Amino acid sequence: MIIAIDGPTGAGKSTVGKALAKRLDYLYIDTGAMYRALALKVKESGIGLEDEVALFQLVSSIRLSFSAIGDEMHLFSNGEDVTHAIRSPEISRLASDISKSRVVREALVRMQRDFGKAGGVVLDGRDIGTVVFPDADVKFYLDADPEERGRRRFQEFSEKGLQVDLSETLKEVVERDRSDMSRSISPLKRAEDAILIDSTCLPVEEVVERMLRIVAEKRRWGEADRR
Ligand code: DC
């Protein structure tokens, strides 16, 4: 099966996605991390966001791969482990900015389709159920109130020892949603056939249990169809 989880920043997609993949013994692909890895390269190379030719060259030269180290999925960018370097507020903003570029999206969507085509995969992102895998077997749209999402992001940064301000973090979450939902190419939106789950008041385990029930139901339908 291909399972898509889309939704805004801080809705819990990666926590839930990882847990779901583990329970199903599936591969977990964090597509946001791919935009972040490219953003890191853009920052290091100093190229301008409006320079589509340079962006094209950069995205054509980047080799991304996921590999499990212990319990954690690590992302390698041209052989370098960037798992932790991509988790800063600056890279979050830059990833959202570069995600508006057509050349960037085309290249990353191609890689994501390649990663997921064999199935047995949970992908999280913004356009998985709408663009990357519009025929995904199960689609979820995970949402939560902006205040709660801002608080979660703040906690995440604080746990990593990053000095951030709660109201600033909340503002950035709202701004990034606005940017991701209003861009002209593949904006974040709920696919018509995506199942909405609001995680504002739900513990992670409950969200995962709900998803597992839906996946199991979908599997039963699939088996009944084949008979
Ligand atoms: O999920 P995340 O916060 O790590 O993603 C970082 C940015 O990457 C997000 O603000 C928009 C972009 N993104 C995207 O455009 N499409 C995806 N499938 C995943 C992320």
Side-chain angles (χ1 to χ4, degrees):
M1 276 190 168
I2 293 179
I3 301 176
I5 308 179
D6 290 304
T9 302
K13 300 185 300 293
S14 69
T15 310
V16 161
K18 274 180 215 160
L20 183 66
K22 194 167 179 194
R23 293 281 297 272
L24 293 167
D25 201 16
Y26 273 22
L27 187 66
Y28 164 68
I29 304 286
D30 175 355
T31 64
M34 299 169 72
Y35 287 88
R36 287 169 180 270
L38 189 66
L40 188 64
K41 277 268 177 286
V42 167
K43 184 186 158 201
E44 287 166 357
S45 63
I47 65 169
L49 296 186
E50 64 298 326
D51 189 347
E52 290 269 308
V53 175
L55 270 181
F56 177 74
Q57 280 164 351
L58 198 69
V59 77
S60 307
S61 70
I62 197 170
R63 293 284 163 270
L64 298 176
S65 59
F66 289 94
S67 183
I69 300 186
D71 239 11
E72 204 186 359
M73 234 9 197
H74 282 237
L75 176 59
F76 292 83
S77 166
N78 292 345
E80 183 195 347
D81 188 346
V82 295
T83 313
H84 300 295
I86 58 174
R87 298 288 158 196
S88 70
E90 184 191 4
I91 295 297
S92 303
R93 272 191 302 273
L94 195 52
S96 181
D97 287 342
I98 61 159
S99 75
K100 294 176 189 156
S101 151
R102 181 175 300 280
V103 292
V104 165
R105 297 208 75 84
E106 280 176 0
L108 293 188
V109 165
R110 215 175 303 126
M111 281 186 221
Q112 290 156 13
R113 287 184 179 145
D114 216 40
F115 284 147
K117 67 180 180 213
V121 69
V122 175
L123 297 109
D124 100 44
R126 303 290 190 291
D127 60 342
I128 309 301
T130 51
V131 175
V132 183
F133 286 110
D135 296 326
D137 301 280
V138 188
K139 298 181 191 177
F140 295 107
Y141 189 90
L142 193 60
D143 208 348
D145 287 350
E147 290 75 27
E148 173 61 15
R149 295 190 287 109
R151 204 191 50 74
R152 288 179 192 168
R153 262 293 124 94
F154 172 75
Q155 197 176 339
E156 209 178 285
F157 287 141
S158 304
E159 278 165 11
K160 287 191 184 123
L162 291 170
Q163 294 293 326
V164 285
D165 180 74
L166 178 58
S167 63
E168 242 345 273
T169 310
L170 178 57
K171 248 197 268 164
E172 286 198 8
V173 161
V174 171
E175 170 48 29
R176 196 137 67 87
D177 286 351
R178 194 202 53 72
S179 162
D180 293 341
M181 288 172 171
S182 65
R183 66 175 174 233
S184 54
I185 315 164
S186 319
L188 165 64
K189 63 170 185 238
R190 180 182 162 193
E192 270 174 26
D193 50 350
I195 297 155
L196 173 70
I197 300 182
D198 188 323
S199 73
T200 310
C201 300
L202 289 178
V204 172
E205 308 76 54
E206 175 56 31
V207 176
V208 175
E209 287 304 326
R210 272 192 202 187
M211 287 180 165
L212 281 168
R213 282 198 292 273
I214 292 162
V215 169
E217 211 171 294
K218 183 78 191 182
R219 250 190 200 149
R220 277 197 297 275
W221 290 345
E223 277 159 19
D225 271 357
R226 276 194 295 278
R227 264 189 247 124

